[in-house]
Amino acid sequence: MSPKWGSTALWRNSGRLFRKGRSWLLRPKTLYMATHNAGKLREFEQLLKPLPLDLKPYAANAEIVEETGTTYAENAALKARAVALKWGVYALGDDSGVEVDALNGEPGLRSARFVSDEPWANSREILLRLMAVPYPQRTARMRAVLCLANPRGEVKFFEGVVEGFILGWPRGTQGFGVDPIFSLDGVTSLAEMSGEEKNRISHRAKAAIGLMTYWKSRDSDALFSI
């Protein structure tokens, strides 16, 4: 069942009331993640563990809005605001991708749907297009943008970027997406790292650190005040 603003269960789990202008908002104890990607949800549960809140999926059977934005931030905001405004909750949306220099920054925004909805097919396509590209020129970066939206649809953005290389073949079985072919040092792929190791250095980790730093720096009654 999707969360409903004003319901007894949500009210008990929402935290402190605070006022901005004439509107009353709640300091959240629950944050809803606008994703159907179980791997991504598990990763963010670990990344945001230091915060005093529960991260929950937004209604597993609910439809997530189509990513029609022209930037990572636009796509992240589309998802976060759709959930926040529809259900009157705090929501977290994200978008991420791998940008390969030898492919003029592709697949970028299209990373999850480069040639297919299947991650292995997209990784294979990247490797095929780089077959003739020597190692020093296989530079790439992973970029992630998080969007935190409040019940009124106001948003804050947090970005994380890591530089690295595309390997010559997939390595490792951990992670998801292009993790098996992306390496920070040109040797070890993200998919060969433990979750704990990856969560210290990944692009999503850096974006999450930005979110947590912001969250902890705000007065408890001024999460979204200017």
Side-chain angles (χ1 to χ4, degrees):
M1 180 180 295
S2 299
K4 292 185 178 180
W5 186 246
S7 69
T8 301
L10 186 59
W11 180 266
R12 288 175 179 170
N13 198 35
S14 293
R16 295 177 58 186
L17 280 168
F18 67 91
R19 188 172 186 177
K20 180 182 177 184
R22 296 182 178 179
S23 300
W24 288 90
L25 295 177
L26 293 175
R27 175 79 173 179
K29 287 186 178 178
T30 301
L31 184 61
Y32 289 89
M33 184 86 193
T35 184
H36 287 158
N37 187 319
K40 185 181 294 185
L41 179 65
R42 286 194 299 270
E43 190 168 301
F44 276 114
E45 284 175 338
Q46 293 302 311
L47 290 172
L48 299 179
K49 210 168 185 178
L51 290 182
L53 54 75
D54 292 325
L55 184 66
K56 294 184 177 181
Y58 160 64
N61 61 345
E63 183 177 348
I64 300 297
V65 298
E66 185 178 355
E67 296 179 352
T68 57
T70 59
T71 66
Y72 298 107
E74 287 180 5
N75 282 336
L78 281 171
K79 292 182 281 189
R81 293 186 78 249
V83 174
L85 290 173
K86 183 173 183 178
W87 300 108
V89 296
Y90 279 83
L92 186 66
D94 87 296
D95 195 24
S96 60
V98 58
E99 303 165 355
V100 183
D101 292 326
L103 300 181
N104 297 315
E106 287 195 320
L109 284 176
R110 300 189 298 133
S111 293
R113 297 166 298 280
F114 191 26
V115 294
S116 168
D117 289 332
E118 296 293 337
W120 65 267
N122 294 324
S123 294
R124 181 182 63 182
E125 182 66 20
I126 292 172
L127 294 179
L128 288 174
R129 296 191 186 192
L130 293 179
M131 283 184 65
V133 179
Y135 170 72
Q137 298 174 27
R138 298 170 74 95
T139 52
R141 68 202 49 79
M142 297 277 275
R143 188 183 306 274
V145 174
L146 294 180
C147 176
L148 175 67
N150 71 12
R152 292 193 307 216
E154 297 169 315
V155 296
K156 297 287 184 182
F157 295 99
F158 309 91
E159 184 178 70
V161 180
V162 291
E163 300 286 339
F165 302 87
I166 300 298
L167 297 172
W169 58 88
R171 299 181 58 171
T173 58
Q174 305 298 314
F176 55 94
V178 298
D179 285 356
I181 65 170
F182 185 84
S183 171
L184 273 67
D185 59 8
V187 178
T188 304
S189 77
L190 292 182
E192 292 179 294
M193 296 181 177
S194 67
E196 188 176 82
E197 290 176 309
K198 180 184 173 184
N199 288 345
R200 286 198 297 264
I201 51 85
S202 75
H203 53 312
R204 292 191 183 91
K206 291 188 175 184
I209 288 171
L211 168 59
M212 290 188 291
T213 300
Y214 171 78
W215 191 289
K216 293 176 181 179
S217 71
R218 308 300 290 177
D219 180 87
S220 62
D221 288 347
L223 187 57
F224 267 80
S225 65
I226 303 302

